Amino acid sequence: MKKKLGILLTSLTLVIVMLATLCGCSSYGGIKKAFENNGYKESESLGNFQSKVMECLNANSEEEIEQICTVHALSKGVSIAIIFEFSSTDQMKKTIESSDMLKGAIKDVQKSDLVNGNCVLFPLCAISTTITDIFKKA
């Protein structure tokens, strides 16, 4: 009886640890917090940037964008950071390969300043070094 209880508890603990590991896959939470700590606010709408996002992702509609990734817009004054949050790094790599715009900006996914975990940064401002620094350090 004690042996069965021990096996059950060990199995349950292993399942809980695996679930906790899988739930923490997205790096967007840390990125959002880093931007908010630097005075950025999240926008509910992409507004004027919808066409740029569609071009970047080779998408034809908002519905198609939603199938590819979740798009977040963070702004502070004229500095705007568009962040593409993909469901996985494999989906991110597949999208980068199919987008001429992203492929041109991101030569090497592993070494790029525009990639953080499963997220890709698309800065929309004249001076993007600050945005890139925040994104890298998140």
Side-chain angles (χ1 to χ4, degrees):
M1 180 70 172
K2 285 184 180 182
K3 190 174 184 178
K4 286 184 181 180
L5 184 60
I7 292 172
L8 179 67
L9 288 175
T10 303
S11 298
L12 186 59
T13 304
L14 182 60
V15 168
I16 290 170
V17 169
M18 289 175 63
L19 284 174
T21 303
L22 291 174
C23 290
C25 290
S26 181
S27 54
Y28 179 69
I31 293 168
K32 179 182 176 187
K33 184 173 174 75
F35 274 95
E36 287 175 341
N37 289 344
N38 282 280
Y40 283 78
K41 303 271 186 235
E42 187 165 21
S43 174
E44 294 297 319
S45 162
L46 294 175
N48 299 335
F49 309 109
Q50 186 75 25
S51 62
K52 284 281 189 200
V53 170
M54 287 173 55
E55 179 184 352
C56 193
L57 295 173
N58 284 337
N60 296 314
S61 67
E62 245 183 90
E63 292 79 26
E64 198 173 333
I65 291 171
E66 290 171 5
Q67 291 174 356
I68 297 170
C69 65
T70 303
V71 181
H72 305 278
L74 297 149
S75 64
K76 176 182 173 184
V78 295
S79 296
I80 299 162
I82 304 292
I83 298 169
F84 304 125
E85 178 187 9
F86 295 92
S87 58
S88 68
T89 53
D90 289 337
Q91 177 66 37
M92 177 185 70
K93 289 176 185 176
K94 181 178 156 189
T95 303
I96 290 170
E97 283 301 312
S98 67
S99 167
D100 290 336
M101 185 181 287
L102 286 176
K103 199 184 323 180
I106 302 169
K107 303 291 184 213
D108 184 354
V109 171
Q110 302 299 322
K111 296 178 183 175
S112 177
D113 292 343
L114 301 176
V115 175
N116 186 336
N118 65 324
C119 296
V120 174
L121 172 67
F122 189 68
L124 296 175
C125 64
I127 304 170
S128 64
T129 54
T130 305
I131 289 176
T132 307
D133 289 342
I134 294 168
F135 186 77
K136 275 193 315 191
K137 294 175 184 173

